[in-house]
Amino acid sequence: MNLNDKKNATTENKSGLSSDETIFHYFQSGTTITEKYKGGSILEGLIIGKQTQDSEIELLYQCLTNEGELKAGESKGKISET
């Protein structure tokens, strides 16, 4: 599954800053993934990562919150059409 030029919003995030107001815009070339995101409590965010299997991704993220805080971390996840 290729994420290039796909957009999505978070449906549930109990432990993070993103919300249903956060819009993620993905770009993908080969297995390399980059992304920009913002909305809700996030002023601006950037992600770089890789697709490790057809439905699995590993990401490093950083963002600036509306309160001026810098946040960073890593994430592993599964992607699907739904």
Side-chain angles (χ1 to χ4, degrees), residues 35-38 42-47 62-64:
E35 177 184 349
K36 293 183 178 185
Y37 63 105
K38 63 180 170 179
I42 299 169
L43 183 63
E44 291 288 341
L46 300 169
I47 290 178
Q62 59 188 8
C63 71
L64 177 63

Side-chain angles (χ1 to χ4, degrees), residues 49-67:
K50 62 184 179 179
Q51 189 169 6
T52 57
Q53 294 184 22
D54 190 47
S55 64
E56 294 182 8
I57 56 176
E58 294 179 8
L59 307 171
L60 296 174
Y61 61 87
Q62 59 188 8
C63 71
L64 177 63
T65 69
N66 291 331
E67 292 78 35

Side-chain angles (χ1 to χ4, degrees), residues 23-52:
I23 303 298
F24 296 85
H25 190 183
Y26 293 89
F27 303 93
Q28 185 171 354
S29 178
T31 58
T32 302
I33 300 167
T34 58
E35 177 184 349
K36 293 183 178 185
Y37 63 105
K38 63 180 170 179
S41 63
I42 299 169
L43 183 63
E44 291 288 341
L46 300 169
I47 290 178
I48 189 159
K50 62 184 179 179
Q51 189 169 6
T52 57

